[in-house]
Amino acid sequence: MKPEDQRVILDLVTYPGSAPRGTPEEVLRHFGADDGRALGLELLRGAVAERDGDQVEMALIVADRFGLSPACLEPLITLCSADWHHAHEGVVSALGTLRSPAAVPALQCLADWVPDYLDYDDSRAMGVKAVWALRRTPGPEADEALRGLLASGSGIVREAAAKGLRSRGVSESEGM
């Protein structure tokens, strides 16, 4: 991805007290696209193929702004276990938006995994976000994943998983 491509995408980002510098229409025009969801998918797939961490972040901005298509699920799941980028929290958020049972194993892993670049984070923000995504995901697979996280090495994740089960009206021991 060229620096100009990144600039156009970053112009969509808002900061407290300021309006975005760019518009979605400018992004579509810059990339010669007429469908922002399709553009987000194309950028995600390109980021995975090129193993480009910066492009992952740009793709997530585009996908967040235009919406995620269900086809984004596959590259997002691939990105969950990739150690060559630093956008795992954004990936978790995107998977939480999609609410797909197919993402449950990846979300469960992300709830317990601490990438080296997040080793400083004692609040386990990524793990808690993954639990929240599991809470929003329908189906018994998500219930089982939350139960599995009750044995997490992190007390914060264990507590979030227990709250998640309660919010879903599911017993912590059911099915065990």
Side-chain angles (χ1 to χ4, degrees):
M1 180 174 284
K2 296 178 257 178
E4 178 64 16
D5 298 338
Q6 289 183 356
R7 187 197 59 74
V8 169
I9 292 169
L10 288 171
D11 281 349
L12 290 175
V13 177
T14 58
Y15 301 95
S18 70
R21 293 186 305 249
T23 66
E25 294 75 23
E26 290 170 342
V27 171
L28 292 174
R29 191 171 36 257
H30 176 82
F31 284 95
D34 58 3
D35 180 350
R37 287 171 50 126
L39 176 61
L41 174 60
E42 178 185 332
L43 293 174
L44 276 172
R45 286 179 173 161
V48 169
E50 297 171 28
R51 296 174 55 99
D52 184 331
D54 290 338
Q55 190 168 334
V56 171
E57 293 182 32
M58 298 301 111
L60 289 171
I61 292 168
V62 170
D64 182 62
R65 186 66 170 101
F66 290 101
L68 292 159
S69 75
C72 291
L73 185 63
E74 181 184 344
L76 287 169
I77 289 173
T78 300
L79 289 168
C80 286
S81 60
D83 62 0
W84 47 263
H85 69 88
H86 293 176
H88 293 90
E89 287 188 57
V91 171
V92 167
S93 294
L95 289 172
T97 298
L98 288 173
R99 299 178 181 191
S100 172
V104 167
L107 287 168
Q108 186 176 7
C109 287
L110 286 174
D112 248 352
W113 179 49
V114 180
D116 289 342
Y117 72 93
L118 290 176
D119 193 37
Y120 70 91
D121 182 11
D122 293 335
S123 69
R124 295 294 314 276
M126 184 179 77
V128 172
K129 285 180 184 180
V131 170
W132 291 343
L134 287 166
R135 286 173 64 170
R136 293 188 305 269
T137 302
E141 300 90 349
D143 295 340
E144 286 304 313
L146 288 167
R147 278 192 204 97
L149 290 170
L150 295 174
S152 173
S154 164
I156 293 169
V157 171
R158 283 193 310 271
E159 182 179 324
K163 285 180 184 177
L165 286 166
R166 286 192 300 273
S167 74
R168 291 168 68 94
V170 175
S171 165
E172 291 182 20
S173 61
E174 188 176 310
M176 293 183 103

